Amino acid sequence: RRLWGAPTLLLVHGYCGDPNSTWPAQDFTSATPFEIPSAESNDAFARQIVDYTKQRGMRAFSAIGHSQGGCALLHALTYYNSGLNKVSGSRGAVVQGLASPWGGSALMNLYGYWRLIPFIGSVIPCGFVAELTPQGAALWLQVIPMKSRGLVTTERVAGVPPIPCFLSQLLLKVPNDGVVEADAAALAGGTNVPGPELGECHATDMAFPVCTIDHSRNARMNKRAARP
């Protein structure tokens, strides 16, 4: 039974993201953040989301995910029975992904090499996730049907050339947000909002503001979200 007053919009952080500071709560209505840190596979992340929402009586909801949060939400929508399956795509976007690495990121490949180095690997706070590499993402998408992808809307951002978001510009194709290339942040079979929107980056401490604090985009995503 849905708890009276249970939120109808879930805000999900990304890989190694801070659950309580990723999204400005005041930009959204009837929303709650996913409060569990995660740096795991899309499947493990998805199961955490499903368990979390069931514990809170969220029997019908849509969701917005930053970075890997979008991938985990699509995985949950595809493989698990949750409140995501109880809202209709005809009423709006069931899942929205902002700067999500549907096509992976070359930076995760580099991370995989770093973790093998004795000292460096021991101080990196978050784990290696194969599905966030370009090769792993391609394999993961092979088992995500177009029916599920069609319920997803994506938004992309990038720095303003020639100013890169981060030194990772050396490893990524332009345009990119410092972590994910714009092409990789578009989901085949999904609704991809034209872009990328320039002047924003993937994370904090980059050359431009982090994309999740864009209040005007957040207002659009809030309005676009499917509600029970």
Side-chain angles (χ1 to χ4, degrees), residues 18-223:
D18 186 336
N20 297 307
S21 66
T22 297
W23 299 100
Q26 69 273 16
D27 289 351
F28 303 93
T29 54
S30 187
T32 187
F34 172 65
E35 296 177 328
I36 301 174
S38 186
E40 304 182 65
S41 69
N42 290 340
D43 183 68
F45 200 159
R47 285 187 279 111
Q48 288 180 330
I49 291 170
V50 171
D51 291 344
Y52 181 87
T53 53
K54 286 183 176 179
Q55 290 168 8
R56 283 154 182 76
M58 297 174 64
R59 291 179 58 88
F61 64 92
S62 61
I64 301 173
H66 173 240
S67 191
Q68 191 196 3
C71 303
L73 287 165
L74 175 55
H75 194 92
L77 177 67
T78 302
Y79 289 105
Y80 296 101
N81 183 28
S82 74
L84 284 172
N85 306 105
K86 305 299 190 298
V87 292
S88 171
S90 64
R91 305 186 68 173
V94 177
V95 169
Q96 297 181 72
L98 173 59
S100 291
W102 313 108
S105 171
L107 297 189
M108 186 56 73
N109 277 334
L110 184 61
Y111 189 1
Y113 301 138
W114 283 344
R115 70 190 179 100
L116 299 177
I117 302 174
F119 177 69
I120 294 180
S122 65
V123 299
I124 293 176
C126 299
F128 175 76
V129 178
E131 291 155 319
L132 298 184
T133 66
Q135 303 89 340
L139 291 173
W140 170 67
L141 281 175
Q142 287 180 12
V143 295
I144 302 297
M146 288 294 175
K147 181 180 179 180
S148 296
R149 300 188 201 189
L151 298 175
V152 177
T153 298
T154 75
E155 298 258 9
R156 301 171 290 162
V157 300
V160 180
I163 304 173
C165 276
F166 201 58
L167 292 177
S168 53
Q169 182 89 353
L170 300 174
L171 300 171
L172 301 173
K173 184 173 67 176
V174 178
N176 65 74
D177 62 16
V179 175
V180 183
E181 296 173 356
D183 288 347
L187 176 65
T191 299
N192 299 298
V193 175
E197 192 164 344
L198 302 181
E200 298 181 26
C201 295
H202 194 91
T204 56
D205 300 321
M206 291 187 171
F208 300 97
V210 61
C211 56
T212 55
I213 63 171
D214 184 320
H215 301 298
S216 61
R217 182 192 303 107
N218 289 347
R220 294 198 308 268
M221 296 176 83
N222 182 64
K223 183 177 181 180

